Amino acid sequence: MQWKHVDISAFGGPENIKVITEDTLPQPAPGQVRVKVLTAGTGFTDTVIRQGQYVDVKDKPPFTLGYDWFGLIDAVGSGVTQFKVGDPVADMSVIGGYTQYLCVDAERVIPCPEGLNPASAVCMILSYTTAYQMLTRECSLKSGDSILVHAAGGAVGTALLELGREMGLKVYGTASKGKHCLVKHYGAIPIDYHNEDFVERIAQETGGKGVQAVFDTIGGKYWSRSYRCVAKGGKLVGFGALQVTTGEEKIPSLLFGFLKLLALWPMLPDGKSSGFYNIQTRRGKKPEEFKEDVATLMQWLKQERLKPAVAAIRPLTDAADVHRQIDKGEIAGKVILDCQQTD
């Protein structure tokens, strides 16, 4: 039986993304399950991995891209008793998700409720769990608090907007003008970062007090400016680095710059705090917490409390074109790959 996966042949641009056809299905080893992957998420983290700048990926090309996926158990290896064929499952694989089939340790995958929309379900893994953990694990926020979300029209940004609304927060979001309708759709207040100074706007909106939390995925010079928007007792949470995707910065320099700021800011007598969030690092330290948070989000999705911003559902073989769109910042929300559709 033929099946496909999407690999990079070398680190670099989307031109290095290749569709590979295999003639034989992989067989699960003892303790593993084989998954028929229904959907895979895409996002700027995938593009950073494609460029060879993601610090948690040590693999060298060729390898299969794909940070997160959702699918159905297709076969079980010996010793696996907790799953059966047909069970819906998901995982944050970091690499390997742009595929029609994969084998993975049964202990790693997360069981999901029956009947979920595959495109919405995969949004819960990276995008929504990142947003949920930053809002609830990294910060102490209560209903009525205000937050600022950068890149609010993106996959994690829209997740922060929706979850912030669920928590009763007042949310401000920076985004290009074309994404303001999406920001408003989630009940947030858009800030046009091209034509407005977000530091001044937040000061005006809050009477100079600032917001209780800022979630900054832009990086570089934005971190110090975002820190100015934080109220006393509040927190700046850095995550990701969009300036890597745009080519303005490299991961090592961004991380060094933020670590330097983390060392300096506690010395200021301003009552503010800061930290850098990485979902993979946190999962490694607290795997059960990760499973618990994903399970919570999947249940909320099942209850129709959440409606992720799915910009488009594209065939698996369109991965290279999707990466070109991500590189240009053209996507509002998240593009999902339908892994069982290849043309």
Side-chain angles (χ1 to χ4, degrees):
M1 175 180 169
Q2 286 193 334
W3 60 285
K4 300 180 188 297
H5 53 93
V6 175
D7 289 12
I8 54 168
S9 56
F11 289 129
E15 68 276 3
N16 293 331
I17 295 176
K18 312 294 181 185
V19 178
I20 310 297
T21 301
E22 305 284 359
D23 292 322
T24 307
L25 286 176
Q27 296 301 314
Q32 288 191 330
V33 293
R34 184 174 70 211
V35 178
K36 180 180 181 180
V37 180
L38 300 181
T39 51
T42 68
F44 84 88
T45 307
D46 287 334
T47 69
V48 175
I49 292 171
R50 187 200 72 219
Q51 295 169 24
Q53 294 200 59
Y54 196 73
V55 294
D56 291 327
V57 173
K58 307 302 181 186
D59 300 60
K60 302 298 182 185
F63 60 79
T64 304
L65 289 169
Y67 208 95
D68 51 355
W69 55 261
F70 173 84
L72 303 174
I73 299 290
D74 184 66
V76 296
S78 61
V80 176
T81 58
Q82 67 269 50
F83 293 110
K84 64 182 186 302
V85 172
D87 284 347
V89 292
D91 188 28
M92 187 178 70
S93 55
V94 182
I95 59 174
Y98 292 5
T99 184
Q100 293 188 300
Y101 292 90
L102 58 76
C103 291
V104 62
D105 290 344
E107 294 296 329
R108 182 174 176 86
V109 299
I110 300 169
C112 299
E114 299 277 354
L116 295 178
N117 178 291
S120 296
V122 77
C123 294
M124 298 299 106
I125 308 301
L126 174 59
S127 301
Y128 271 72
T129 301
T130 293
Y132 183 75
Q133 290 196 329
M134 289 193 300
L135 286 166
T136 63
R137 306 285 190 181
E138 297 289 325
C139 299
S140 298
L141 296 167
K142 62 183 184 302
S143 180
D145 283 346
S146 58
I147 64 172
L148 171 63
V149 176
H150 286 304
V156 176
T158 52
L160 282 163
L161 301 187
E162 185 168 37
L163 291 171
R165 184 179 64 185
E166 282 288 304
M167 295 172 62
L169 305 176
K170 185 172 186 178
V171 184
Y172 301 92
T174 64
S176 57
K177 197 73 173 178
K179 297 179 182 179
H180 281 200
C181 284
L182 180 59
V183 174
K184 291 178 182 178
H185 170 76
Y186 287 110
I189 301 166
I191 298 175
D192 182 1
Y193 69 93
H194 285 304
N195 298 304
E196 293 183 84
D197 185 319
F198 70 85
V199 179
E200 292 182 2
R201 177 72 184 277
I202 291 298
Q204 292 169 1
E205 292 278 346
T206 64
K209 294 179 180 180
V211 294
Q212 278 67 49
V214 178
F215 301 96
D216 189 338
T217 185
I218 306 297
K221 62 184 180 182
Y222 268 75
W223 278 326
S224 59
R225 300 190 70 235
S226 292
Y227 190 77
R228 291 166 56 190
C229 297
V230 179
K232 185 175 182 179
K235 186 173 184 178
L236 165 64
V237 181
F239 70 105
L242 276 178
Q243 289 193 347
V244 173
T245 303
T246 62
E248 297 173 53
E249 287 274 9
K250 302 295 183 183
I251 281 283
S253 63
L254 275 170
L255 291 177
F256 177 76
F258 193 68
L259 288 172
K260 184 166 65 175
L261 292 174
L262 283 178
L264 293 173
W265 282 331
M267 299 170 65
L268 300 174
D270 56 12
K272 304 178 184 181
S273 63
S274 57
F276 191 87
Y277 171 87
N278 179 281
I279 190 170
Q280 184 67 11
T281 301
R282 190 178 183 98
R283 181 186 187 178
K285 293 177 179 177
K286 300 182 178 181
E288 293 307 313
E289 184 180 275
F290 177 82
K291 287 186 176 182
E292 177 186 331
D293 292 343
V294 173
T296 295
L297 292 166
M298 290 292 183
Q299 284 299 326
W300 287 2
L301 182 66
K302 178 73 173 179
Q303 296 163 6
E304 299 185 347
R305 289 176 60 180
L306 302 175
K307 294 184 179 180
V310 175
I313 302 172
R314 303 279 295 273
L316 177 66
T317 46
D318 281 2
D321 189 51
V322 173
H323 273 237
R324 292 186 187 97
Q325 287 185 281
I326 296 170
D327 285 350
K328 294 176 182 178
E330 296 177 348
I331 296 171
K334 191 178 184 81
V335 171
I336 306 301
L337 295 178
D338 181 338
C339 294
Q340 296 304 309
Q341 182 184 358
T342 58
D343 52 35

